Amino acid sequence: MDREAYRNCCSLVKIPRQSYEQFWSSHFVDYIDKELSYSKFFKKYLLPNHPCMFSRRFTEDWKCRKQWVSEEGKPNFQKLLQEFDETPVPVANCNAKEYNANPKQVMPFKEFIHYWKEYIQNGHSSPKGCLYLKDWHMSRDFPEHNVYTTPVFFSSDWLNEYWDTLEVDDYRFVYMGPKGSWTPFHADVFRSYSWSANICGRKKWLLYPPGQEEFLRDTHGNLPYDVTSAELRDRGLFPHSEEACQPLEIIQEAGEIIFVPSGWHHQVYNLEDTISINHNWLNGCNIDIMWQFLQNELSSVQKEINEWRNTMDSWHQHCQVIMKACSGINYGEFASFLKIIAGNRMTFLNACSSGDSSDYPRHLSETLTTLGPYHAAFDLQRVAHIIECLLCNEDFKRLDHSALTLQPETMLQQIRDTIQSTRGQHLLYQE
């Protein structure tokens, strides 16, 4: 990111996101088949929160596109078995419904491949149902494989940066499923972005822009499990479904990468036997959407247990505990998340100023160096904005700040000092 892009982005991010009506009137997504600068992707897709599709040329050098795929373009079961054999993997049953998702089990990889082969031989049917290997942390389980490379467009990834720092989790997944496997209607974790690359096979995506999902709620406020179900035409059960726009339907071919923006609810089908790689990620462009999501999640918890509000001295603390159990994060961990992201960028900018990056983690150094100091400064400004929001939030004020790893006032001042002290240095750098 260069100086002009940095200035434009700092001004654009303060403007409310563009109405989706203009985008929707065209009813298609951009197909990117040539060189595109990171700055243009940032400005045209990340900030306005619009989807797009990258052609197969962006994945043609990936090892998995060669090693995991047969000459006929099908999953190479023999090669996959050689690599993963007894590895335990999570497998969902697409024919079963548990709340608004598919129940999962863990089985050896070779057992799933055996099932998959039989499923194909039986005309894509099985008494076991339609099984789908999904949400498998392959990169975490096999870090030495290096079968793909995250495109630079998706490299500003605070979510995985945070979890990599803790060394306990990540949001990088492999999906493998037969023709007919699918994922029910949902929006991604923490309202993050996602990118999904088809290694082989084809997918059909049904996407709704943010806000349209509200028309699809039933009389109890629940979202549908399947947006193609005939029951959505029941006005007694789904009174506003006819007010929703038609979904954006996208067919994703082998090798292509789809960018799914924040808060776009979607439903996905495998039209053929398919393998895909998916990352959930977020950064300074959509951190405000995550913060709004967290506020909404806490509000929902508070409404659910409001009747006990006056009978419990620690009611607000219990709300945070329940929020963590339901959503995977609460305000305290969100503060820790912001601290790590800000700390990494302050260290990077100070290293740029001093010329000494010897103590900086190599993988982070490479990513931040590629994106440049302008991007790091933009990130810090976005973190500072969210910290300012936290300081004004009544529920955050009620937390025991002595127990937080982030002391917000102190961190906010450190960010401001870093930006000020390195401004003359990082503005000398070019993309």
Side-chain angles (χ1 to χ4, degrees):
M1 181 187 293
D2 58 23
R3 182 183 303 193
E4 182 179 357
Y6 167 73
R7 288 174 175 168
N8 288 339
C9 292
C10 287
S11 59
L12 282 170
V13 79
K14 298 175 185 176
I15 301 172
R17 281 184 172 80
Q18 176 183 338
S19 168
Y20 292 104
E21 293 177 2
Q22 181 180 354
F23 168 83
W24 212 249
S25 64
S26 61
H27 209 74
F28 70 92
V29 296
D30 289 345
Y31 188 78
I32 300 169
D33 190 33
K34 57 183 179 181
E35 291 299 326
L36 177 74
S37 71
Y38 178 84
S39 294
K40 286 185 178 179
F41 175 74
F42 190 99
K43 184 176 179 180
K44 192 172 183 180
Y45 303 104
L46 283 184
L47 281 177
N49 208 39
H50 284 175
C52 64
M53 183 79 77
F54 291 85
S55 76
R56 65 185 64 194
R57 70 186 295 268
F58 291 91
T59 64
E60 60 187 3
D61 294 329
W62 290 4
K63 290 182 182 179
C64 56
R65 295 259 352 254
K66 302 176 177 66
Q67 298 175 359
W68 293 4
V69 184
S70 69
E71 293 182 359
E72 296 77 28
K74 305 295 183 181
N76 188 333
F77 294 133
Q78 181 179 356
K79 179 62 176 177
L80 290 167
L81 282 171
Q82 288 175 359
E83 290 195 29
F84 305 118
D85 195 24
E86 295 281 354
T87 303
V89 292
V91 176
N93 188 340
C94 297
N95 291 359
K97 179 182 177 182
E98 192 173 89
Y99 301 102
N100 251 25
N102 303 127
K104 286 182 182 178
Q105 60 179 311
V106 175
M107 65 172 63
F109 182 81
K110 68 176 183 179
E111 184 178 329
F112 173 75
I113 295 299
H114 177 73
Y115 154 83
W116 197 353
K117 288 180 176 179
E118 286 191 341
Y119 190 85
I120 294 172
Q121 292 169 357
N122 292 333
H124 287 90
S125 66
S126 169
K128 297 179 181 179
C130 182
L131 302 186
Y132 191 4
L133 188 164
K134 61 194 307 186
D135 300 327
W136 175 29
H137 298 267
M138 189 279 296
S139 292
R140 189 181 69 195
D141 294 343
F142 297 90
E144 73 284 356
H145 274 39
N146 295 318
V147 293
Y148 69 96
T149 303
T150 300
V152 67
F153 310 106
F154 317 130
S155 60
S156 178
D157 179 353
W158 297 7
L159 193 59
N160 287 299
E161 178 182 334
Y162 172 69
W163 287 109
D164 286 348
T165 301
L166 299 185
E167 297 183 341
V168 295
D169 203 357
D170 71 350
Y171 285 89
R172 306 177 184 96
F173 306 106
V174 167
Y175 287 65
M176 298 186 183
K179 176 182 177 181
S181 52
W182 68 296
T183 299
F185 190 60
H186 70 287
D188 288 319
V189 59
F190 310 142
R191 298 303 178 264
S192 59
Y193 297 132
S194 70
W195 64 265
S196 181
N198 275 1
I199 306 310
C200 64
R202 304 170 73 232
K203 289 181 185 287
K204 180 172 77 172
W205 295 75
L206 303 178
L207 291 95
Y208 288 85
Q212 289 296 312
E213 74 279 359
E214 296 302 323
F215 297 119
L216 301 175
R217 294 188 184 277
D218 63 18
T219 52
H220 302 290
N222 300 314
L223 289 172
Y225 170 72
D226 178 2
V227 290
T228 68
S229 172
E231 70 176 8
L232 262 75
R233 295 195 292 270
D234 182 348
R235 297 298 295 275
L237 185 57
F238 293 91
H240 302 289
S241 60
E242 292 184 0
E243 299 175 48
C245 68
Q246 290 298 305
L248 181 62
E249 181 174 319
I250 301 173
I251 302 299
Q252 180 187 15
E253 303 290 344
E256 294 178 342
I257 309 174
I258 187 172
F259 165 60
V260 181
S262 282
W264 285 63
H265 283 67
H266 49 281
Q267 189 162 304
V268 191
Y269 299 88
N270 288 325
L271 303 179
E272 299 174 355
D273 298 309
T274 301
I275 299 175
S276 61
I277 290 171
N278 181 89
H279 284 203
N280 293 113
W281 55 297
L282 54 87
N283 57 35
C285 296
N286 63 341
I287 188 64
D288 58 327
I289 297 178
M290 180 184 184
W291 169 231
Q292 185 59 57
F293 166 75
L294 295 180
Q295 293 176 84
N296 294 342
E297 290 293 285
L298 180 58
S299 178
S300 296
V301 170
Q302 291 172 336
K303 289 177 182 178
E304 285 294 320
I305 64 171
N306 187 59
E307 60 185 293
W308 291 286
R309 187 181 190 119
N310 297 323
T311 64
M312 299 171 61
D313 293 335
S314 57
W315 184 82
H316 290 287
Q317 287 73 20
H318 275 80
C319 287
Q320 292 289 333
V321 171
I322 295 171
M323 179 186 177
K324 167 78 173 178
C326 295
S327 306
I329 193 171
N330 59 19
Y331 281 17
E333 184 162 23
F334 183 57
S336 299
F337 165 78
L338 294 174
K339 178 183 179 181
I340 286 176
I341 299 305
N344 286 340
R345 278 138 192 82
M346 287 190 288
T347 301
F348 172 72
L349 285 177
N350 288 327
C352 287
S353 297
S354 66
D356 180 13
S357 59
S358 57
D359 295 329
Y360 204 63
R362 181 178 176 184
H363 67 285
L364 275 179
S365 179
E366 291 176 352
T367 298
L368 293 176
T369 299
T370 298
L371 296 177
Y374 290 108
H375 204 298
F378 169 82
D379 290 351
L380 283 178
Q381 289 184 334
R382 298 303 296 147
V383 172
H385 168 69
I386 298 300
I387 292 177
E388 289 170 347
C389 293
L390 288 175
L391 289 170
C392 296
N393 182 273
E394 293 301 319
D395 290 302
F396 184 78
K397 291 177 183 179
R398 294 188 181 99
L399 298 182
D400 179 5
H401 284 211
S402 66
L404 297 178
T405 60
L406 167 73
Q407 299 304 312
E409 294 90 348
T410 302
M411 178 59 70
L412 193 57
Q413 189 58 52
Q414 289 174 345
I415 290 173
R416 290 168 176 165
D417 290 345
T418 299
I419 292 176
Q420 183 62 35
S421 65
T422 61
R423 184 181 300 276
Q425 299 294 330
H426 74 251
L427 291 181
L428 294 176
Y429 287 77
Q430 298 298 322
E431 184 180 30

